[in-house]
Amino acid sequence: MNAETDLATLIRNLEPRTLPNTYVFCSVEDADYGDLSHTGPLASFAEPEGLTLVLTRESAEEEGLSYEGTFRCISLQVHSSLEAVGLTAAVTGELATEGISANVIAGHHHDHIFVPSRQAESALRLLETMSSRR
């Protein structure tokens, strides 16, 4: 399956799905990629201030890692190209109209939007409505 670049097609085929877990973002100073692999992070990113981990709240608490806020992940099932223009802006803009923050991580095949846990159901409905309007 080829990755899609056309914005209208991407939006029409979003198929947003909420992943079952609650996630947190943690930053671990002086850690290198792989140091905390036993926590099963969904994603990680090396920054000068520390290694950012996106992992389940339970994993963070078991490891004694601090975090601010909890998030749910809405995974867009459309196979978006990494070179597609406007999808992130369209999705985050739609959520912003309702005051919902969005932290986007692009995987090779799909985009994943982390929204505050308390707003996850509203965010999912907004994205479903956005997709059906096209």
Short mmCIF file of all heavy atoms in Angstrom, two decimals, residues 39-83:
data_model
loop_
_atom_site.label_atom_id
_atom_site.label_comp_id
_atom_site.label_asym_id
_atom_site.label_seq_id
_atom_site.Cartn_x
_atom_site.Cartn_y
_atom_site.Cartn_z
N THR A 39 10.95 -0.50 30.26
CA THR A 39 9.68 0.15 30.57
C THR A 39 8.71 0.06 29.40
O THR A 39 7.54 0.42 29.54
CB THR A 39 9.88 1.63 30.93
OG1 THR A 39 10.43 2.32 29.80
CG2 THR A 39 10.77 1.79 32.15
N GLY A 40 9.19 -0.42 28.24
CA GLY A 40 8.33 -0.58 27.07
C GLY A 40 7.79 0.71 26.50
O GLY A 40 6.59 0.80 26.22
N PRO A 41 8.65 1.72 26.30
CA PRO A 41 8.12 2.99 25.79
C PRO A 41 7.51 2.83 24.40
O PRO A 41 8.00 2.04 23.58
CB PRO A 41 9.35 3.89 25.74
CG PRO A 41 10.52 2.97 25.68
CD PRO A 41 10.10 1.74 26.42
N LEU A 42 6.44 3.56 24.17
CA LEU A 42 5.81 3.60 22.86
C LEU A 42 6.69 4.41 21.91
O LEU A 42 6.75 4.14 20.72
CB LEU A 42 4.42 4.23 22.98
CG LEU A 42 3.54 4.27 21.77
CD1 LEU A 42 3.23 2.85 21.28
CD2 LEU A 42 2.24 5.00 22.08
N ALA A 43 7.36 5.42 22.45
CA ALA A 43 8.26 6.27 21.67
C ALA A 43 9.30 6.88 22.58
O ALA A 43 9.10 6.96 23.80
CB ALA A 43 7.46 7.37 20.97
N SER A 44 10.39 7.32 21.98
CA SER A 44 11.40 8.05 22.73
C SER A 44 12.07 9.05 21.80
O SER A 44 12.07 8.89 20.58
CB SER A 44 12.43 7.11 23.35
OG SER A 44 13.17 6.46 22.35
N PHE A 45 12.62 10.08 22.41
CA PHE A 45 13.30 11.11 21.64
C PHE A 45 14.43 11.67 22.49
O PHE A 45 14.21 12.06 23.65
CB PHE A 45 12.33 12.24 21.26
CG PHE A 45 12.85 13.11 20.16
CD1 PHE A 45 12.60 12.81 18.84
CD2 PHE A 45 13.61 14.24 20.46
CE1 PHE A 45 13.09 13.61 17.82
CE2 PHE A 45 14.11 15.04 19.44
CZ PHE A 45 13.84 14.73 18.12
N ALA A 46 15.64 11.68 21.93
CA ALA A 46 16.80 12.19 22.66
C ALA A 46 16.87 13.71 22.49
O ALA A 46 16.95 14.22 21.37
CB ALA A 46 18.08 11.54 22.14
N GLU A 47 16.79 14.42 23.61
CA GLU A 47 16.91 15.87 23.62
C GLU A 47 18.10 16.25 24.49
O GLU A 47 18.53 15.46 25.33
CB GLU A 47 15.64 16.50 24.21
CG GLU A 47 14.38 16.20 23.41
CD GLU A 47 13.16 16.83 24.03
OE1 GLU A 47 12.71 16.36 25.09
OE2 GLU A 47 12.66 17.79 23.44
N PRO A 48 18.65 17.46 24.31
CA PRO A 48 19.79 17.86 25.14
C PRO A 48 19.49 17.79 26.64
O PRO A 48 20.38 17.51 27.45
CB PRO A 48 20.06 19.30 24.70
CG PRO A 48 19.50 19.40 23.33
CD PRO A 48 18.32 18.47 23.31
N GLU A 49 18.23 18.04 27.03
CA GLU A 49 17.87 18.05 28.45
C GLU A 49 17.66 16.65 29.02
O GLU A 49 17.61 16.49 30.24
CB GLU A 49 16.58 18.85 28.66
CG GLU A 49 16.67 20.30 28.25
CD GLU A 49 16.42 20.52 26.75
OE1 GLU A 49 16.20 19.56 26.00
OE2 GLU A 49 16.48 21.68 26.33
N GLY A 50 17.50 15.66 28.18
CA GLY A 50 17.27 14.31 28.65
C GLY A 50 16.55 13.47 27.62
O GLY A 50 16.12 13.97 26.58
N LEU A 51 16.39 12.21 27.93
CA LEU A 51 15.69 11.28 27.05
C LEU A 51 14.21 11.36 27.36
O LEU A 51 13.78 11.09 28.49
CB LEU A 51 16.21 9.85 27.28
CG LEU A 51 15.60 8.77 26.40
CD1 LEU A 51 16.00 8.97 24.94
CD2 LEU A 51 16.04 7.39 26.89
N THR A 52 13.41 11.76 26.37
CA THR A 52 11.97 11.80 26.53
C THR A 52 11.41 10.42 26.22
O THR A 52 11.75 9.81 25.20
CB THR A 52 11.33 12.83 25.58
OG1 THR A 52 11.77 14.13 25.96
CG2 THR A 52 9.81 12.78 25.66
N LEU A 53 10.58 9.92 27.11
CA LEU A 53 9.91 8.64 26.92
C LEU A 53 8.40 8.86 26.93
O LEU A 53 7.89 9.60 27.76
CB LEU A 53 10.26 7.66 28.04
CG LEU A 53 11.72 7.28 28.20
CD1 LEU A 53 11.90 6.43 29.46
CD2 LEU A 53 12.21 6.54 26.97
N VAL A 54 7.71 8.21 26.02
CA VAL A 54 6.25 8.17 26.03
C VAL A 54 5.92 6.74 26.41
O VAL A 54 6.22 5.80 25.68
CB VAL A 54 5.65 8.52 24.65
CG1 VAL A 54 4.13 8.47 24.71
CG2 VAL A 54 6.15 9.87 24.17
N LEU A 55 5.34 6.58 27.59
CA LEU A 55 5.06 5.24 28.08
C LEU A 55 3.77 5.23 28.88
O LEU A 55 3.22 6.27 29.19
CB LEU A 55 6.23 4.69 28.90
CG LEU A 55 6.64 5.40 30.18
CD1 LEU A 55 7.52 4.46 31.00
CD2 LEU A 55 7.43 6.64 29.89
N THR A 56 3.30 4.04 29.19
CA THR A 56 2.06 3.96 29.95
C THR A 56 2.29 4.56 31.34
O THR A 56 3.41 4.53 31.88
CB THR A 56 1.56 2.51 30.10
OG1 THR A 56 2.51 1.77 30.88
CG2 THR A 56 1.31 1.85 28.75
N ARG A 57 1.22 5.09 31.88
CA ARG A 57 1.29 5.65 33.23
C ARG A 57 1.77 4.59 34.21
O ARG A 57 2.60 4.87 35.09
CB ARG A 57 -0.08 6.19 33.64
CG ARG A 57 -0.10 6.75 35.04
CD ARG A 57 -1.45 7.31 35.43
NE ARG A 57 -2.50 6.34 35.16
CZ ARG A 57 -3.78 6.65 35.00
NH1 ARG A 57 -4.17 7.89 35.08
NH2 ARG A 57 -4.67 5.71 34.78
N GLU A 58 1.28 3.36 34.06
CA GLU A 58 1.68 2.28 34.97
C GLU A 58 3.18 2.03 34.91
O GLU A 58 3.83 1.87 35.96
CB GLU A 58 0.92 0.99 34.64
CG GLU A 58 -0.57 1.06 34.93
CD GLU A 58 -1.37 1.82 33.87
OE1 GLU A 58 -0.85 2.05 32.76
OE2 GLU A 58 -2.51 2.20 34.17
N SER A 59 3.75 2.01 33.71
CA SER A 59 5.20 1.79 33.58
C SER A 59 5.99 2.91 34.23
O SER A 59 7.01 2.66 34.89
CB SER A 59 5.60 1.65 32.10
OG SER A 59 5.08 0.47 31.56
N ALA A 60 5.54 4.14 34.03
CA ALA A 60 6.23 5.29 34.63
C ALA A 60 6.20 5.20 36.15
O ALA A 60 7.21 5.44 36.82
CB ALA A 60 5.60 6.59 34.15
N GLU A 61 5.04 4.86 36.69
CA GLU A 61 4.91 4.77 38.14
C GLU A 61 5.72 3.62 38.71
O GLU A 61 6.35 3.77 39.77
CB GLU A 61 3.43 4.67 38.52
CG GLU A 61 2.71 6.00 38.27
CD GLU A 61 1.22 5.95 38.49
OE1 GLU A 61 0.65 4.86 38.74
OE2 GLU A 61 0.59 7.03 38.39
N GLU A 62 5.73 2.49 38.02
CA GLU A 62 6.56 1.35 38.49
C GLU A 62 8.03 1.72 38.52
O GLU A 62 8.77 1.26 39.40
CB GLU A 62 6.35 0.14 37.57
CG GLU A 62 5.02 -0.55 37.77
CD GLU A 62 4.80 -1.66 36.74
OE1 GLU A 62 5.75 -2.05 36.03
OE2 GLU A 62 3.64 -2.12 36.64
N GLU A 63 8.46 2.55 37.56
CA GLU A 63 9.87 2.95 37.47
C GLU A 63 10.18 4.16 38.36
O GLU A 63 11.34 4.53 38.54
CB GLU A 63 10.21 3.26 36.01
CG GLU A 63 11.66 3.41 35.70
CD GLU A 63 12.46 2.13 35.87
OE1 GLU A 63 11.91 1.01 35.76
OE2 GLU A 63 13.69 2.26 36.13
N GLY A 64 9.15 4.78 38.93
CA GLY A 64 9.34 5.97 39.77
C GLY A 64 9.65 7.22 38.96
O GLY A 64 10.29 8.14 39.48
N LEU A 65 9.19 7.27 37.73
CA LEU A 65 9.44 8.43 36.88
C LEU A 65 8.35 9.48 37.09
O LEU A 65 7.18 9.14 37.21
CB LEU A 65 9.48 8.01 35.40
CG LEU A 65 10.57 7.02 35.01
CD1 LEU A 65 10.39 6.55 33.59
CD2 LEU A 65 11.95 7.64 35.21
N SER A 66 8.75 10.73 37.09
CA SER A 66 7.77 11.80 37.26
C SER A 66 7.22 12.22 35.90
O SER A 66 7.87 12.06 34.87
CB SER A 66 8.39 13.00 37.98
OG SER A 66 9.45 13.53 37.21
N TYR A 67 6.00 12.75 35.94
CA TYR A 67 5.34 13.21 34.71
C TYR A 67 4.31 14.26 35.09
O TYR A 67 3.92 14.38 36.25
CB TYR A 67 4.68 12.04 33.97
CG TYR A 67 3.66 11.29 34.79
CD1 TYR A 67 2.34 11.70 34.85
CD2 TYR A 67 4.03 10.15 35.52
CE1 TYR A 67 1.40 11.00 35.60
CE2 TYR A 67 3.10 9.45 36.27
CZ TYR A 67 1.79 9.88 36.31
OH TYR A 67 0.87 9.20 37.05
N GLU A 68 3.91 15.02 34.09
CA GLU A 68 2.85 16.02 34.26
C GLU A 68 1.75 15.69 33.27
O GLU A 68 1.96 15.70 32.07
CB GLU A 68 3.38 17.42 33.98
CG GLU A 68 4.42 17.88 34.98
CD GLU A 68 4.94 19.27 34.67
OE1 GLU A 68 4.25 20.04 33.97
OE2 GLU A 68 6.05 19.56 35.11
N GLY A 69 0.59 15.39 33.76
CA GLY A 69 -0.55 15.13 32.89
C GLY A 69 -0.57 13.71 32.33
O GLY A 69 0.46 13.05 32.24
N THR A 70 -1.77 13.28 32.00
CA THR A 70 -1.95 11.98 31.36
C THR A 70 -2.63 12.18 30.02
O THR A 70 -3.40 13.14 29.83
CB THR A 70 -2.80 11.03 32.24
OG1 THR A 70 -4.10 11.59 32.42
CG2 THR A 70 -2.13 10.76 33.58
N PHE A 71 -2.33 11.30 29.09
CA PHE A 71 -2.78 11.45 27.71
C PHE A 71 -3.32 10.14 27.17
O PHE A 71 -2.91 9.06 27.59
CB PHE A 71 -1.61 11.92 26.83
CG PHE A 71 -1.05 13.22 27.29
CD1 PHE A 71 -0.08 13.28 28.28
CD2 PHE A 71 -1.50 14.42 26.74
CE1 PHE A 71 0.43 14.48 28.73
CE2 PHE A 71 -0.99 15.63 27.18
CZ PHE A 71 -0.03 15.67 28.17
N ARG A 72 -4.23 10.27 26.23
CA ARG A 72 -4.69 9.12 25.45
C ARG A 72 -4.16 9.32 24.04
O ARG A 72 -4.01 10.45 23.57
CB ARG A 72 -6.22 9.05 25.44
CG ARG A 72 -6.85 8.82 26.81
CD ARG A 72 -6.51 7.47 27.45
NE ARG A 72 -6.86 6.34 26.62
CZ ARG A 72 -8.06 5.76 26.57
NH1 ARG A 72 -9.04 6.22 27.34
NH2 ARG A 72 -8.28 4.73 25.78
N CYS A 73 -3.90 8.23 23.37
CA CYS A 73 -3.37 8.28 22.01
C CYS A 73 -4.47 7.95 21.02
O CYS A 73 -5.09 6.88 21.09
CB CYS A 73 -2.21 7.31 21.85
SG CYS A 73 -1.51 7.33 20.18
N ILE A 74 -4.70 8.87 20.09
CA ILE A 74 -5.61 8.61 18.98
C ILE A 74 -4.74 8.34 17.75
O ILE A 74 -3.98 9.20 17.32
CB ILE A 74 -6.55 9.80 18.73
CG1 ILE A 74 -7.41 10.05 19.97
CG2 ILE A 74 -7.41 9.55 17.49
CD1 ILE A 74 -8.28 11.29 19.88
N SER A 75 -4.84 7.14 17.25
CA SER A 75 -4.04 6.71 16.11
C SER A 75 -4.88 6.87 14.84
O SER A 75 -6.00 6.37 14.77
CB SER A 75 -3.62 5.25 16.29
OG SER A 75 -2.83 4.83 15.21
N LEU A 76 -4.34 7.58 13.87
CA LEU A 76 -5.02 7.74 12.59
C LEU A 76 -4.66 6.54 11.72
O LEU A 76 -3.48 6.29 11.47
CB LEU A 76 -4.62 9.05 11.92
CG LEU A 76 -4.81 10.31 12.77
CD1 LEU A 76 -4.36 11.54 12.00
CD2 LEU A 76 -6.25 10.43 13.23
N GLN A 77 -5.67 5.83 11.25
CA GLN A 77 -5.42 4.59 10.52
C GLN A 77 -5.03 4.82 9.05
O GLN A 77 -4.53 3.92 8.40
CB GLN A 77 -6.65 3.68 10.60
CG GLN A 77 -7.02 3.30 12.02
CD GLN A 77 -5.87 2.67 12.78
OE1 GLN A 77 -5.38 1.61 12.40
NE2 GLN A 77 -5.42 3.33 13.83
N VAL A 78 -5.25 6.04 8.54
CA VAL A 78 -4.86 6.33 7.17
C VAL A 78 -3.33 6.22 7.05
O VAL A 78 -2.61 6.61 7.96
CB VAL A 78 -5.36 7.73 6.73
CG1 VAL A 78 -4.72 8.85 7.52
CG2 VAL A 78 -5.16 7.93 5.24
N HIS A 79 -2.87 5.65 5.95
CA HIS A 79 -1.42 5.50 5.73
C HIS A 79 -0.91 6.79 5.10
O HIS A 79 -0.91 6.96 3.89
CB HIS A 79 -1.15 4.30 4.82
CG HIS A 79 0.31 4.02 4.62
ND1 HIS A 79 0.75 3.04 3.79
CD2 HIS A 79 1.42 4.58 5.16
CE1 HIS A 79 2.07 3.01 3.80
NE2 HIS A 79 2.49 3.94 4.61
N SER A 80 -0.48 7.70 5.96
CA SER A 80 -0.02 9.01 5.51
C SER A 80 1.46 8.99 5.17
O SER A 80 2.26 8.37 5.85
CB SER A 80 -0.28 10.05 6.60
OG SER A 80 0.34 9.66 7.80
N SER A 81 1.79 9.69 4.09
CA SER A 81 3.19 9.84 3.69
C SER A 81 3.88 10.79 4.66
O SER A 81 3.28 11.77 5.13
CB SER A 81 3.27 10.40 2.27
OG SER A 81 4.60 10.78 1.97
N LEU A 82 5.14 10.54 4.91
CA LEU A 82 5.92 11.47 5.74
C LEU A 82 6.12 12.80 5.01
O LEU A 82 6.52 13.79 5.62
CB LEU A 82 7.26 10.85 6.12
CG LEU A 82 7.16 9.68 7.10
CD1 LEU A 82 8.49 8.95 7.20
CD2 LEU A 82 6.70 10.16 8.46
N GLU A 83 5.82 12.82 3.71
CA GLU A 83 5.94 14.04 2.93
C GLU A 83 4.59 14.71 2.66
O GLU A 83 4.52 15.70 1.93
CB GLU A 83 6.67 13.76 1.61
CG GLU A 83 8.10 13.32 1.84
CD GLU A 83 8.88 13.11 0.56
OE1 GLU A 83 8.37 13.44 -0.52
OE2 GLU A 83 10.01 12.61 0.65
#
